[in-house]
Amino acid sequence: MPRPRVVALLAPEGPRLHDPQAPVVAADDAGLTRGDGCFDSALVIPVDAGGDDRQAGDDPGPTHQVVDLPGHLARLAASARALEIPAPDEAAWTELVATALRAWPEPGEATLRLTLTRGPESGGPPRAFVTLTERAAGRPQRGAAATTTRPVRAVTLSRGHPSDAFVDAPWLLGGVKTLSYAVNTAALREARRRGADDVIFTSTDGYALDAPTAGLLVVRDGAVLSTPTGGTGILASTSIGAILAAAEAEGRSARHELVQVADLLTADGVWLVASSRGPTPVGELDGRAVPVDDGLVADVARWAGF
Amino acid sequence: MPRPRVVALLAPEGPRLHDPQAPVVAADDAGLTRGDGCFDSALVIPVDAGGDDRQAGDDPGPTHQVVDLPGHLARLAASARALEIPAPDEAAWTELVATALRAWPEPGEATLRLTLTRGPESGGPPRAFVTLTERAAGRPQRGAAATTTRPVRAVTLSRGHPSDAFVDAPWLLGGVKTLSYAVNTAALREARRRGADDVIFTSTDGYALDAPTAGLLVVRDGAVLSTPTGGTGILASTSIGAILAAAEAEGRSARHELVQVADLLTADGVWLVASSRGPTPVGELDGRAVPVDDGLVADVARWAGF
């Protein structure tokens, strides 16, 4: 992964830029000692300069913007509430992001990561910072033909719990985008060990849940489906919300519904969806082919705004 | 929790002390962004000056020592292997710990925390550091009468998985002391909300597992029992290993065996065991009394070396 080019911290006196290579949290910060904090990631795209009516001499304005920043800030706020971390408000985050965007030196797209930790275990305020990183090479740029996305090979790995494990168990932090992602990264290493690119997590009662860093989208009998949040513990995905809404607006049936793992192989198509990389079709699951329909791939990319 | 008084880093040129309040990892360190790393904690005690035969003018030698440092380093090495993080070897860790101990300014006991992160996501070596922190007030000091320990009130909270969830699922990182502890700290907050001090995690099939930052010890019908590691996903505890060995040496039956939650209420006694605080008897579980036998409490403290 490329190195972050811009880091901005929310200091007591307001947002300030920080040397991207300099350390940012102390040895006893709970975000580091316990993975006790939350984050969110969003896509940063160039502002379309065409069609504006600015005059010479006007402030050129920002060169980049975050796709659905309010949606990501709302999800981050929900994560912070679940963790009971007193979080900066939306205006403070927005100013922090603007500070980072003004320093972004690249013409292309970037990934914005917003991080909030509980702060030092010895006491002290939560730590809030954002990073901007070039999007990894090979990822589809927004507006590029989605059909150039190579389908990925995925493996199924058990998440170890039934699909209703998170009902009435808020301490399990279902749906919270915490910094405690070691299992997610271990699952991705297991996938590579098996010669695959990614993972679809499964419940002990046989359902497909989500992926380590992406949500799951399934089109089956024409209906556009994604895993319910809540009792399953999976994260709400801002991108999947957008896809379901756009599919519904085109007259598709679109809903949250659990899908059995076995039914993935006979679906119309299966996608992993993350806002920082767009919808990626799954072409192979545990070594068996999953249908990839170019027309449907283009539909899903369009629904996602890619 | 008190602030760490000493922080030492393993730099490329060897161990060096670090300002305890200065940041220690970069914004893209996987230990921070993903809780992708591991740690271990150990008790630091004064070296007993009595009975030595040092002459005036000799190097006074270290004032403090770590209880079972090799045991903790072995567990840390096992955690690093499970995470596939290339870790410093035992000699390098030992030298790093010695560097920290030489700087420890207090006469009393301390907690040593050893941390290893995967390092920057953009590439670069793993990050290894240790901290020394005063032991929190009110914790029994080693050698003090164990019966002064107030029994704690615990609540049971589901861990969301069956007791065999981790069989053949190494990506779930069972038994690995990772930095991804957000659920553990959330469970402790839930306990406080319920007016309790601590948590006993339970499996969906009704067994008692462990506590968020401690192992579980049960004495039942005279036998000394602790949760099996492996398929349960719980951490191996160096302190519980020591207790089982000492109990067996005194002629007790001592073994790893799953105990049903309901059987905790009728046990001879129940303890939460962590090396940094010694064995703590549980006096109440979900508002119901758990037997606390002073003689047995003294036995368990002795077995633990407290």
Side-chain angles (χ1 to χ4, degrees), chain B residues 167-265:
Chain B
V167 174
D168 296 331
W171 56 88
L172 295 180
L173 301 176
V176 183
K177 207 166 167 73
T178 74
L179 299 177
S180 287
Y181 258 43
V183 167
N184 302 51
T185 58
L188 289 172
R189 285 194 299 278
E190 177 70 20
R192 287 196 292 272
R193 192 175 296 120
R194 297 184 185 193
D197 310 298
D198 217 319
V199 173
I200 295 178
F201 279 129
T202 62
S203 66
T204 52
D205 49 346
Y207 292 104
L209 294 172
D210 60 1
T213 62
L216 179 67
L217 189 84
V218 180
V219 180
R220 199 171 125 219
D221 301 330
V224 184
L225 309 174
S226 190
T227 313
T229 56
T232 62
I234 75 146
L235 279 177
S237 159
T238 55
S239 304
I240 282 178
I243 290 172
L244 295 184
E248 194 156 44
E250 291 192 10
R252 294 271 190 163
S253 170
R255 58 187 188 273
H256 286 97
E257 181 176 303
L258 280 168
V259 175
Q260 288 276 350
V261 176
D263 292 336
L264 296 178
L265 296 171

Side-chain angles (χ1 to χ4, degrees), chain A residues 1 3 23-25 33-36 83-84 113 118 122 158 160-162 165 171 179-182 185 189 193, chain B residues 1 3 23-25 33-36 83-84 113 118 122 158 160-162 165 171 179-182 185 189 193:
Chain A
M1 188 180 293
R3 171 172 296 166
V24 300
V25 298
T33 59
R34 308 273 171 196
D36 195 4
L83 290 167
E84 300 176 65
R113 194 176 199 276
R118 192 178 300 281
S122 53
S158 172
H161 60 70
W171 57 90
L179 300 176
S180 287
Y181 258 43
T185 57
R189 285 195 299 279
R193 191 175 296 121
Chain B
M1 187 179 292
R3 171 174 293 166
V24 63
V25 298
T33 58
R34 306 274 173 197
D36 196 4
L83 290 167
E84 300 174 66
R113 195 174 198 276
R118 192 178 301 281
S122 53
S158 172
H161 60 70
W171 56 88
L179 299 177
S180 287
Y181 258 43
T185 58
R189 285 194 299 278
R193 192 175 296 120

Side-chain angles (χ1 to χ4, degrees), chain B:
Chain B
M1 187 179 292
R3 171 174 293 166
R5 298 288 296 269
V6 176
V7 174
L9 304 174
L10 203 55
E13 65 279 11
R16 67 175 171 79
L17 294 173
H18 185 77
D19 174 356
Q21 305 203 43
V24 63
V25 298
D28 79 330
D29 191 290
L32 176 60
T33 58
R34 306 274 173 197
D36 196 4
C38 50
F39 74 103
D40 223 281
S41 295
L43 180 63
V44 174
I45 59 173
V47 173
D48 183 4
D52 75 10
D53 55 0
R54 286 185 300 215
Q55 305 295 315
D58 278 4
D59 181 333
T63 60
H64 285 73
Q65 62 188 3
V66 180
V67 177
D68 191 18
L69 182 59
H72 288 284
L73 290 179
R75 188 167 63 171
L76 186 64
S79 292
R81 269 197 305 278
L83 290 167
E84 300 174 66
I85 298 177
D89 63 16
E90 186 176 337
W93 280 114
T94 301
E95 196 190 339
L96 180 62
V97 170
T99 300
L101 287 180
R102 280 193 292 273
W104 177 244
E106 300 291 326
E109 299 187 349
T111 300
L112 169 73
R113 195 174 198 276
L114 308 109
T115 302
L116 177 70
T117 81
R118 192 178 301 281
E121 293 187 311
S122 53
R127 191 82 166 144
F129 62 93
V130 300
T131 63
L132 288 174
T133 308
E134 290 170 76
R135 293 186 70 212
R139 292 290 168 77
Q141 303 287 301
R142 202 171 171 96
T147 47
T148 62
T149 306
R150 183 178 68 83
V152 296
R153 290 161 300 181
V155 293
T156 54
L157 294 179
S158 172
R159 204 68 171 84
H161 60 70
S163 59
D164 63 353
F166 295 79
V167 174
D168 296 331
W171 56 88
L172 295 180
L173 301 176
V176 183
K177 207 166 167 73
T178 74
L179 299 177
S180 287
Y181 258 43
V183 167
N184 302 51
T185 58
L188 289 172
R189 285 194 299 278
E190 177 70 20
R192 287 196 292 272
R193 192 175 296 120
R194 297 184 185 193
D197 310 298
D198 217 319
V199 173
I200 295 178
F201 279 129
T202 62
S203 66
T204 52
D205 49 346
Y207 292 104
L209 294 172
D210 60 1
T213 62
L216 179 67
L217 189 84
V218 180
V219 180
R220 199 171 125 219
D221 301 330
V224 184
L225 309 174
S226 190
T227 313
T229 56
T232 62
I234 75 146
L235 279 177
S237 159
T238 55
S239 304
I240 282 178
I243 290 172
L244 295 184
E248 194 156 44
E250 291 192 10
R252 294 271 190 163
S253 170
R255 58 187 188 273
H256 286 97
E257 181 176 303
L258 280 168
V259 175
Q260 288 276 350
V261 176
D263 292 336
L264 296 178
L265 296 171
T266 57
D268 304 339
V270 176
W271 287 258
L272 306 182
V273 180
S275 56
S276 57
R277 56 176 164 163
T280 307
V282 175
E284 194 182 299
L285 187 63
D286 295 333
R288 296 158 76 183
V290 175
V292 177
D293 175 306
D294 286 347
L296 200 50
V297 167
D299 286 345
V300 169
R302 189 178 66 253
W303 296 334
F306 266 74

Side-chain angles (χ1 to χ4, degrees), chain A residues 75-109:
Chain A
R75 188 167 63 169
L76 186 64
S79 293
R81 268 196 306 277
L83 290 167
E84 300 176 65
I85 298 177
D89 63 17
E90 185 174 339
W93 280 114
T94 302
E95 196 189 339
L96 180 62
V97 169
T99 300
L101 287 180
R102 280 193 293 271
W104 178 244
E106 300 290 326
E109 300 187 350

